[in-house]
C-alpha cells in the first residue's frame, strides 16, 4: 500500500495479511486501542520474530487476539463465570483477560507463565483480519507495535516510523533497524486508533485466592468491571503476574518528560526559556509556543485518544524537555495517569537540572 495514502485496508490487503500470518510472518494491524504487531500465536518461531523485531525480553508474555465468537475453551482453562460475563459485556472491545492457559499455548506467548492474556478487539480491520486468519479459528499474538519501552503507535504511520518500514527498500538503514524492517513489511492501515491507550487488563486466573486484579487500567474502568461481576478489581499484589506495561519506565519518548501542575506551567516555561532551554508542552490551555505544543482536551476519553500522538509529535521538535500539564487525578483519568507516570519515570530530576536548583 502507498504509505502516503491513508485509506483503510481493503479486503484484498486483509486477506493477503492473513496469508502472511499463516506463513509465519509478522503483520502490524490497527486495533481500537493501539496498533499491534501480530504473529500466529500457535507458531513459536513466528512469535519469536515479534520479540526480535521489538527488541523485547522474551520472557514477557503477549496477548492473544481472537475473532468475535471464538471458542474461549480452546485457548484457556478453568474459566470462571466472571470471565464469561466480562466477555459478554465488553467484547469485542478494549479488555484483556488473564486466565489459565490451555496446554497448546506456546511458552513464547505466555512468557513461561501458566496463564495467557486474551482479547477480542473491536476495530473493523482487526476483526476482518482475525476472521480471515485460519478461517477465524486462529489466535494472533500481538504486543503493541513499538520498540520495547517506547510510546505505543496509534496510527499506521507511527508503526512505519518505528520499524523503518519502507526505509529498508531505500537501503538507508543498517543493523538492528534493518533487521526489524526486514521482519515487518505488512502494515495494515486503519486510521487513528479510537481509544488511544492500551486495553484494560484484568487477571482472573487467581480468582479463588486473590479475587479479580486490575493489572493495567484503561478505557474500561474498574467500576465498569465491578458493575458486571459484582466485585471491584484490586490493585496488583506482589505475586500478581508480570506485565511489561506495568514496568516503572515504559511508554517513554526519547526527550525527557516531566509533569507540571497547571498553576506553575506558564512560570516554568518562562524560567526554562530564560535559561535557553527548548521546551515542548502538552496541556489543556497554553502558553503560546508555536509548533512545540499540543493541546489535549480536558476530559479523559479525548485526552487518551490524543496522548501518544502528542508525545510522538513533541518528541520530534528537538526540545530539551517535554512538559506535560498534570491531568486531574479522578478515577476516569486512571489510565492516562498510569501511562504518564511511566513515561516520566526515567526523567526524574530533569527540571531541577535545567533550572539549576
Ligand atoms: O490494547 C492492547 O492490549 C494492545 C493491543 C495491540 O491489543 N496490546 C498491548 O500489548 O498493549 P503489550 O504486549 O504491549 O502489552 C500487553 C501487556 C504486557 O504488559 C504483558 O506483560 C501483559 O499484557 N500480559 C500479557 N499476557 C500476560 C499474562 N499471561 N500475565 C500477565 N500479563 C500479561
Ligand atoms: Mg506495549
Amino acid at each position: 500500500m502507498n504509505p502516503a495514502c491513508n485509506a483503510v485496508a481493503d479486503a484484498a490487503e486483509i486477506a493477503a495479511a492473513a496469508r502472511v500470518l499463516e506463513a509465519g510472518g509478522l503483520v502490524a494491524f490497527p486495533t481500537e486501542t493501539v496498533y499491534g504487531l501480530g504473529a500466529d500465536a500457535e507458531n513459536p518461531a513466528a512469535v519469536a520474530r515479534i520479540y526480535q523485531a521489538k527488541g523485547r525480553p522474551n520472557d514477557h508474555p503477549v496477548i492473544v487476539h481472537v475473532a468475535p465468537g471464538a471458542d474461549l475453551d480452546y485457548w484457556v482453562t478453568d474459566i470462571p463465570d466472571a470471565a464469561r460475563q466480562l466477555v459478554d459485556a465488553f467484547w469485542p472491545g478494549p479488555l484483556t483477560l488473564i486466565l489459565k492457559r490451555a496446554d497448546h499455548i506456546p511458552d513464547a506467548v505466555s512468557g513461561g507463565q501458566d496463564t495467557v492474556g486474551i482479547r477480542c478487539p473491536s476495530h473493523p480491520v482487526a476483526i476482518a483480519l482475525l476472521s480471515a486468519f485460519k478461517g477465524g479459528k486462529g489466535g494472533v499474538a500481538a504486543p503493541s507495535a513499538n520498540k520495547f519501552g517506547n510510546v505505543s503507535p496509534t496510527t499506521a504511520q507511527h508503526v512505519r516510523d518505528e520499524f523503518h518500514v519502507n526505509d529498508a527498500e531505500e537501503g538507508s538503514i543498517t543493523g538492528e533497524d534493518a533487521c526489524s524492517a526486514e521482519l515487518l513489511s505488512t502494515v495494515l492501515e486503519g486510521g487513528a486508533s479510537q481509544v488511544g491507550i492500551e486495553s484494560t487488563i484484568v487477571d482472573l486466573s487467581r480468582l479463588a485466592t486473590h479475587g479479580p486484579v486490575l493489572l493495567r487500567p484503561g478505557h474500561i474502568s474498574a467500576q465498569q468491571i465491578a458493575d458486571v461481576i459484582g466485585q471491584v478489581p484490586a490493585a496488583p499484589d506482589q505475586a500478581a503476574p508480570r506485565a511489561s506495561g506495568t514496568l516503572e519506565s515504559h511508554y517513554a519518548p526519547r526527550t525527557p518528560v516531566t509533569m507540571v501542575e497547571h498553576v506553575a506551567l506558564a512560570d516554568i516555561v518562562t524560567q526554562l526559556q530564560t535559561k535557553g532551554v527548548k521546551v515542548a508542552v502538552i496541556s489543556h490551555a497554553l502558553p503560546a509556543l508555536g509548533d512545540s505544543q499540543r493541546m489535549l482536551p480536558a476530559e479523559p476519553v479525548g485526552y487518551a485518544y490524543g496522548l501518544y500522538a502528542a508525545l510522538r509529535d513533541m518528541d520530534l521538535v528537538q526540545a530539551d524537555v517535554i512538559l506535560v500539564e498534570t491531568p486531574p487525578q479522578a478515577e476516569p483519568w486512571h489510565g492516562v495517569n498510569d501511562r504518564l507516570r511511566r513515561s516520566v519515570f526515567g526523567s526524574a530530576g530533569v527540571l531541577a537540572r535545567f533550572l539549576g536548583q
Side-chain angles (χ1 to χ4, degrees):
M1 194 189 331
N2 176 355
C5 159
N6 282 334
V8 169
D10 62 22
E13 287 164 335
I14 292 169
R19 302 294 90 80
V20 170
L21 290 172
E22 286 162 3
L26 298 184
V27 169
F29 62 100
T31 85
E32 72 282 17
T33 57
V34 299
Y35 276 64
L37 180 61
D40 179 354
E42 294 175 277
N43 178 343
V47 175
R49 289 186 189 105
I50 298 178
Y51 291 105
Q52 212 185 333
K54 270 186 76 96
R56 186 193 218 196
N58 60 11
D59 64 342
H60 284 210
V62 282
I63 295 170
V64 176
H65 297 70
V66 294
D71 178 11
L72 212 52
D73 295 282
Y74 178 71
W75 298 102
V76 290
T77 64
D78 307 332
I79 306 170
D81 288 346
R84 301 213 190 260
Q85 289 163 349
L86 290 174
V87 165
D88 288 345
F90 297 116
W91 282 9
L95 177 69
T96 297
L97 300 177
I98 306 294
L99 292 162
K100 293 283 181 209
R101 70 162 161 161
D103 287 341
H104 64 95
I105 308 271
D107 275 347
V109 169
S110 66
Q113 305 183 73
D114 64 353
T115 56
V116 67
I118 185 160
R119 103 170 175 100
C120 173
S122 66
H123 193 293
V125 172
I127 290 182
L129 177 68
L130 291 163
S131 304
F133 172 60
K134 293 186 176 174
K137 299 207 175 335
V140 173
S144 49
N146 52 277
K147 295 286 177 72
F148 182 64
N150 287 2
V151 178
S152 303
T154 52
T155 67
Q157 189 57 47
H158 291 164
V159 179
R160 289 190 286 263
D161 292 347
E162 188 86 14
F163 291 95
H164 302 275
V165 178
N166 301 328
D167 297 355
E169 292 159 18
E170 290 152 29
S172 55
I173 51 166
T174 53
E176 245 176 62
D177 287 341
C179 167
S180 302
E182 205 171 294
L183 286 168
L184 177 66
S185 54
T186 306
V187 180
L188 288 177
E189 183 67 60
S193 294
Q194 211 186 335
V195 172
I197 57 171
E198 302 79 357
S199 59
T200 304
I201 304 182
V202 180
D203 176 23
L204 296 174
S205 69
R206 303 171 305 149
L207 205 52
T209 49
H210 292 75
V213 174
L214 185 68
L215 294 185
R216 183 172 68 184
H219 181 73
I220 294 174
S221 69
Q223 189 53 53
Q224 282 175 286
I225 288 162
D227 289 345
V228 172
I229 63 173
Q231 223 179 332
V232 182
D237 52 280
Q238 286 297 328
R242 284 169 289 126
S244 55
T246 61
L247 291 178
E248 286 181 302
S249 176
H250 214 71
Y251 314 116
R254 285 174 193 82
T255 313
V257 194
T258 192
M259 309 298 298
V260 177
E261 294 292 337
H262 173 76
V263 286
L265 186 60
D267 183 44
I268 289 191
V269 168
T270 311
Q271 283 188 53
L272 287 168
Q273 286 176 329
T274 309
K275 291 189 179 279
V277 177
K278 176 152 190 223
V279 284
V281 173
I282 297 174
S283 62
H284 302 320
L286 292 169
L289 289 171
D291 289 343
S292 303
Q293 62 187 35
R294 281 291 174 278
M295 250 169 90
L296 290 177
E299 49 80 25
V301 172
Y303 194 107
Y305 172 78
L307 174 61
Y308 287 154
L311 283 171
R312 279 177 182 269
D313 287 349
M314 294 302 90
D315 206 13
L316 293 176
V317 300
Q318 317 262 309
D320 299 307
V321 61
I322 302 170
L323 306 181
V324 181
E325 180 184 345
T326 311
Q329 299 299 303
E331 214 263 339
W333 290 86
H334 194 179
V336 158
N337 283 309
D338 170 81
R339 304 310 188 279
L340 283 172
R341 194 158 38 79
R342 299 177 207 288
S343 301
V344 305
F345 185 80
S347 311
V350 66
L351 264 195
R353 257 196 326 277
F354 282 131
L355 294 173
Q357 290 166 349

